[in-house]
Amino acid sequence: MTRLSISLLGSFQVALDGNAVSTFESDKVRALLAYLVVEASQPHRRESLAGLLWPERPERSARQNLSQALYNLRQSIGDRDATPPFLLITTDSIQFNRSSDHWLDVAAFADGLAGCSQHDKGAVETCEQCVEQLQQAVSLYRGDFMSGFSLDGSAAFEEWVLVRQEQHRRQILDALHRLASCYESQGALEEALDYARQQVDLDPWREEAHRQVMRLLALNKQWNAALAQYERCRRVLAEELGVEPESETTALYERIRDEASSRVPPDPIRHDLPV
């Protein structure tokens, strides 16, 4: 049985039985596969797909281009030899077959998050299965959805990619935050810090993540590092957005600063007495 693996979180990657597929003749073919496999819940009319990928072409020309791209796609992924086939094709529509032997990182990522979606924050923190599922989901996120991929002349497809990127970015940030909170509740500060810092790396303007890093550093008695994290947050917000940190962030900074000051030992009393 032929197994198709498709990775879209990060750079576009496709493998057939573990071997990378490199016979796509154009980015339009790659875009066609990506769109079909992600939007596999329904069939897509040929004229809609042609308009999505070749909006500047007359309908007849766009349909011809679609037929050529579909031919190359089927050859590249071995669709004619797959049982069941990867693509469900009629004269009017095309749909990716969700019953075919395939793996999609976007779907696996969503499944890992969905397993914990019914739990509130406290329940996730005490559920080992939820933590494991979140970790597996996070490990699948290699970068933004179809990172570095662009399709000149197809604004609608580009917009679809941007919407997906934003959706998955929100999901990964939420998952990282929940994992950091989970490990913090267990007292595993280094693990919590790792997940909190990943949030900051993904979204430097996310004050919630900066506060999480500051708090964890302070709990670990790394006062100077916690205060430096605030300065990093303040500088990024000022330079990129022209705003000051939220009052909650500043209040946390002041509490950590005061705590750090109270932990500094006083200078020894100087005197001229012989030792």
Side-chain angles (χ1 to χ4, degrees):
M1 183 176 290
T2 303
R3 183 170 179 79
L4 181 66
S5 299
I6 306 168
S7 299
L8 301 176
L9 295 173
S11 59
F12 178 96
Q13 296 180 8
V14 177
L16 199 59
D17 289 336
N19 299 311
V21 176
S22 58
T23 53
F24 299 117
E25 65 181 11
S26 68
D27 281 340
K28 293 290 179 78
V29 179
R30 297 180 181 88
L32 177 61
L33 174 59
Y35 187 81
L36 288 173
V37 73
V38 172
E39 305 292 345
S41 60
Q42 62 183 6
H44 301 277
R45 295 191 63 81
R46 285 176 178 254
E47 59 265 29
S48 297
L49 293 171
L52 175 70
L53 299 176
W54 293 274
E56 78 288 354
R57 295 294 186 91
E59 182 178 349
R60 183 176 179 179
S61 176
R63 288 283 295 264
Q64 289 175 343
N65 286 346
L66 175 63
S67 295
Q68 182 179 346
L70 180 60
Y71 178 81
N72 176 248
L73 174 58
R74 297 190 70 191
Q75 281 189 317
S76 297
I77 65 175
D79 182 54
R80 290 180 174 84
D81 299 324
T83 306
F86 298 120
L87 300 173
L88 303 174
I89 301 171
T90 71
T91 56
D92 297 320
S93 66
I94 308 170
Q95 182 178 11
F96 191 89
N97 186 3
R98 293 196 290 184
S99 298
S100 62
D101 186 13
H102 75 284
W103 179 85
L104 174 64
D105 63 347
V106 172
F109 178 70
D111 289 344
L113 300 181
C116 308
S117 62
Q118 302 301 318
H119 286 179
D120 58 25
K121 178 182 176 183
V124 172
E125 291 174 355
T126 57
C127 178
E128 292 184 5
Q129 183 178 358
C130 278
V131 173
E132 183 177 349
Q133 288 178 336
L134 284 174
Q135 287 175 322
Q136 290 175 351
V138 165
S139 70
L140 294 173
Y141 193 89
R142 298 177 298 114
D144 283 339
F145 179 79
M146 298 188 72
S147 177
F149 189 95
S150 62
L151 208 59
D152 293 338
S154 181
F157 182 83
E158 293 275 327
E159 182 179 354
W160 175 75
V161 170
L162 288 174
V163 170
R164 281 281 171 181
Q165 286 179 345
E166 181 60 28
Q167 174 187 344
H168 298 315
R169 182 177 282 259
R170 287 197 305 268
Q171 290 173 331
I172 187 64
L173 287 169
D174 179 67
L176 290 169
H177 180 81
R178 298 179 83 176
L179 282 170
S181 298
C182 171
Y183 280 106
E184 180 183 351
S185 70
Q186 297 173 7
L189 300 183
E190 289 301 325
E191 289 85 351
L193 261 173
D194 179 58
Y195 288 117
R197 282 171 168 153
Q198 287 184 54
Q199 294 176 70
V200 174
D201 290 340
L202 281 171
D203 187 353
W205 307 282
R206 184 178 171 90
E207 285 196 59
E208 182 181 20
H210 283 282
R211 288 195 295 268
Q212 200 169 39
V213 172
M214 290 167 60
R215 185 174 64 253
L216 289 165
L217 287 169
L219 287 172
N220 208 24
K221 297 180 173 56
Q222 299 181 50
W223 316 111
N224 291 337
L227 298 176
Q229 186 68 37
Y230 172 81
E231 290 301 327
R232 176 185 175 187
C233 173
R234 185 191 61 76
R235 184 172 61 254
V236 167
L237 293 174
E239 293 177 353
E240 301 295 334
L241 303 179
V243 298
E244 291 295 320
E246 298 172 356
S247 58
E248 184 177 355
T249 308
T250 302
L252 176 60
Y253 162 78
E254 292 171 349
R255 289 198 301 272
I256 294 173
R257 181 196 58 195
D258 294 343
E259 179 70 12
S261 299
S262 68
R263 298 301 180 100
V264 176
D267 292 334
I269 299 175
R270 298 183 180 277
H271 56 73
D272 296 327
L273 297 175
V275 175

